[in-house]
Amino acid sequence: MARGLDVLACFGAERPAMSLSDVAAAAGLARPTARRLLLTLEELGFVRSSGGLFQLTPKVLTLGMAYVGALGLWDIARPHMEGLVARTGESSSMAQLDGSDVVYVARVSVPKLIALRVEIGTRFPAVQTSQGKVLLAALPAVELEATLAVPSRAGLPAYIGRSPEQLRDELTEVRARGWALADEELAPGVRSVAVPVRDATGTVRAAMNVTVHAAETSVDRLLGEHLPLLLRTAGDVSAEWALWQSRPHVEVRRDPGGIVPA
């Protein structure tokens, strides 16, 4: 399973189609092993081949959407995020922590000339993003140390804008005030503020942000106008998600006579 997932992860926007040799090299596998995995994935419908090249199929989306759907979070968050975007005129995203990176699990965007392309599944180093700072600040000290020690898989150069001590001081401040700012730390011109999204137990499970272009929106405006709306939106999402989690969930099975509670 692990090697099959490695094969799927080889494909991306810059490598949408690859030969057997390309896949074997990218995944670090012998050609016969890569071939067996690709044939299995093709049989399962996750990969298609044509002219000696392999490509992913839309079925791979079911892997990620099953995760998001299981949380119930995206369906709950979407209308709230759409309302936030309508009020601010700026894009909003939701991300979760994966190792030392954040991975985007939801996004409502507006057409803006922002220097970064962001879509579902995009990952960035957590320490360079407002969402990442919120999620890191929520971790216990021992877990934070272990998380920061995990190498980033985002493919971006290491950030040298602050020392480890400065990062820890900033995370302490984020934890105390309940929001985080990233001011052109990820890319020039990109400025964002993020707040936590909590589950029914009060645990921080995700972070929601508002992203602006630095040339258009000052830090004062971002914090003075957009942050209060973001805090209210994240609070509404957290409350609705907690209510959803508190509902009884009944599993059903189908038998020849119809659908019967399991």
Side-chain angles (χ1 to χ4, degrees), residues 117-208:
R117 177 183 175 183
V118 178
E119 53 195 24
I120 305 303
T122 296
R123 67 171 56 236
F124 292 127
V127 296
Q128 292 174 241
T129 69
S130 58
Q131 292 169 305
K133 293 177 190 179
V134 165
L135 295 168
L136 291 172
L139 297 177
V142 174
E143 190 175 346
L144 174 61
E145 293 293 332
T147 298
L148 291 176
V150 176
S152 170
R153 292 188 286 142
L156 296 180
Y159 183 62
I160 57 174
R162 68 172 75 82
S163 68
E165 293 74 20
Q166 289 172 321
L167 173 61
R168 283 163 179 77
D169 289 344
E170 182 177 4
L171 294 180
T172 298
E173 186 176 355
V174 168
R175 188 180 305 113
R177 70 191 181 192
W179 55 267
L181 175 71
D183 190 7
E184 300 189 82
E185 296 170 40
L186 189 60
V190 179
R191 178 176 288 159
S192 70
V193 64
V195 300
V197 176
R198 302 176 186 272
D199 65 12
T201 68
T203 302
V204 176
R205 295 285 302 277
M208 183 186 298

Side-chain angles (χ1 to χ4, degrees), residues 65-104:
M65 293 312 296
Y67 168 67
V68 175
L71 289 174
L73 184 53
W74 168 233
D75 287 335
I76 290 169
R78 177 171 51 193
H80 293 284
M81 293 175 68
E82 290 173 346
L84 175 65
V85 169
R87 290 191 294 274
T88 63
E90 305 289 353
S91 298
S92 178
S93 303
M94 188 178 294
Q96 293 186 298
L97 204 58
D98 181 21
S100 61
D101 295 330
V102 291
V103 177
Y104 284 70

